[in-house]
Amino acid sequence: MNALRKLLDQQKPLFEKGGKLEKFYYAFEAGETFLFTPNSTGGKHGTHIHDAIDLKRMMITVVIAMVPALLFGIYNVGHTHFLAVGELAEATFLDKILIGSIAVLPIVIVSYTAGGLVEVVFSIIRRHPINEGFLVSGMLIAIVMPPTLPLWQVALAAIFAVVIAKEVFGGTGMNVLNVAMTARAFLYFAYPGDMSGDVWYYLGDKQYADGFSGATPLGLAAEAVAVEGSQSVAATLAGFQDGLFTFWNMTVGLIPGSIGSTSFIAVMIGAIIIIATGVGSWKIILSGFIGVYAMGLILNLAGANEYMSMPPHYHFVMGGVAFGIVFMATDPVSAAHTEMGKWVYGFLIGVITVIIRVLNPAYPEGIMLAVLFMNVFAPLIDFYVVEANKKRRLQRATV
């Protein structure tokens, strides 16, 4: 590391004011501060210092929290690949990791490269430091995509999301919408054929095994609405494809889905990390799951069809609701900021997610639209929370 430090120090004058590469200073500075502590830091006893963590370390913590979901996603893409082509019995652990890596790592690399280049261009044009927020967004964009997505679409979505959802508002800390969800929404509406339907199994150059279906648990549940006299959703899921969609299997995450969102267990490990480090709001996470369960329970009691009658806790492990609540809803920029507002914000995300899932047969997943919808209303929630606090204080003052 000393050699690397020495090399950076030798090159640094080229990027400083008056140097030949002055305009690229912030690109150099981003790499330098990613590797080493900046030369200028606050004093240990400054009155303005409230925490030892800075934005870059905060973002790295979120990335670390996503690592279990990413690693499991790599394994699961390989596992479902061999399941779909009928070679699961012969596949070893390393075979699954290899196939998963071939499908997933290029998506991660393209996401970081495309979005990172946009960040560099904007930092040079605006002459400001490169925003650390893309450390998280680059990973999130990759991890919420299907493993079969063409790489050029990954690049296009990353560029669109960074420019439209963040840079036009001023960069990190100024965005209204969650950047990763914006990327996913862009692809969903621009290229629906590559974001839904038969896209959740990476087949490579092989074909489905005879009799194998590419259905997902959310798709099967939605189909129960249209089939009169169908058996319960829980029974349908448990009996599908030799128990592929049992509740336990969906909790573990050995099912088709977006790369990093299938495992409830891996996502909860990430939730523990961001809550323990104070990076993510436990109030948003808890209220989000309460909202999902409450709305699922209300629909369960109504029981107008088999999907409504599904046990509400099934919503936790189906699709990407857990991942969305833990890593998307807790985005500290686009979420509500007041403490009471966080409860309302998370709860409504959970409620809207289930409503979209169960009552809108055209869209089997709901967490993406729920998060984006509540991103827009987060400032309004904070406004009314603050107004209510002001009103209560004024009432106490006049007594």
Side-chain angles (χ1 to χ4, degrees), residues 50 62 86 108 127 148 151 160 170 172 192 212 267 302 339 344 357:
H50 300 283
V62 181
V108 176
R127 300 189 65 77
T148 56
L151 295 179
F160 177 87
T172 297
F212 189 86
V267 171
E339 297 307 310
V344 176
R357 279 182 168 190

Side-chain angles (χ1 to χ4, degrees), residues 84-108:
V85 300
E87 300 175 1
L88 187 61
E90 297 82 20
T92 66
F93 176 81
L94 291 179
D95 290 336
K96 296 175 183 178
I97 293 294
L98 177 61
I99 290 294
S101 299
I102 291 173
V104 173
L105 293 185
I107 294 177
V108 176

Side-chain angles (χ1 to χ4, degrees), residues 190-247:
Y191 305 98
D194 293 312
M195 292 295 292
S196 60
D198 197 14
V199 300
W200 307 110
Y201 290 93
Y202 175 76
L203 299 178
D205 56 356
K206 298 188 177 182
Q207 302 294 323
Y208 281 118
D210 291 341
F212 189 86
S213 170
T216 63
L218 286 171
L220 288 176
E223 287 177 6
V225 179
V227 180
E228 187 176 352
S230 60
Q231 63 179 350
S232 73
V233 169
T236 300
L237 294 173
F240 181 79
Q241 216 101 51
D242 299 324
L244 177 61
F245 297 142
T246 62
F247 184 80

Side-chain angles (χ1 to χ4, degrees), residues 89-168:
E90 297 82 20
T92 66
F93 176 81
L94 291 179
D95 290 336
K96 296 175 183 178
I97 293 294
L98 177 61
I99 290 294
S101 299
I102 291 173
V104 173
L105 293 185
I107 294 177
V108 176
I109 293 171
V110 169
S111 174
Y112 270 118
T113 303
L117 287 175
V118 175
E119 294 274 6
V120 170
V121 169
F122 271 88
S123 74
I124 292 173
I125 294 174
R126 291 178 171 172
R127 300 189 65 77
H128 64 61
I130 294 177
N131 296 323
E132 293 86 353
F134 197 71
L135 291 174
V136 173
S137 298
M139 180 74 81
L140 282 173
I141 289 173
I143 220 167
V144 298
M145 299 298 176
T148 56
L149 191 68
L151 295 179
W152 67 269
Q153 290 187 17
V154 178
L156 191 61
I159 293 170
F160 177 87
V162 173
V163 174
I164 302 300
K166 188 165 72 171
E167 292 299 341
V168 295

Side-chain angles (χ1 to χ4, degrees), residues 76-91:
N76 185 52
V77 169
H79 176 85
T80 52
H81 164 82
F82 288 109
L83 177 68
V85 300
E87 300 175 1
L88 187 61
E90 297 82 20

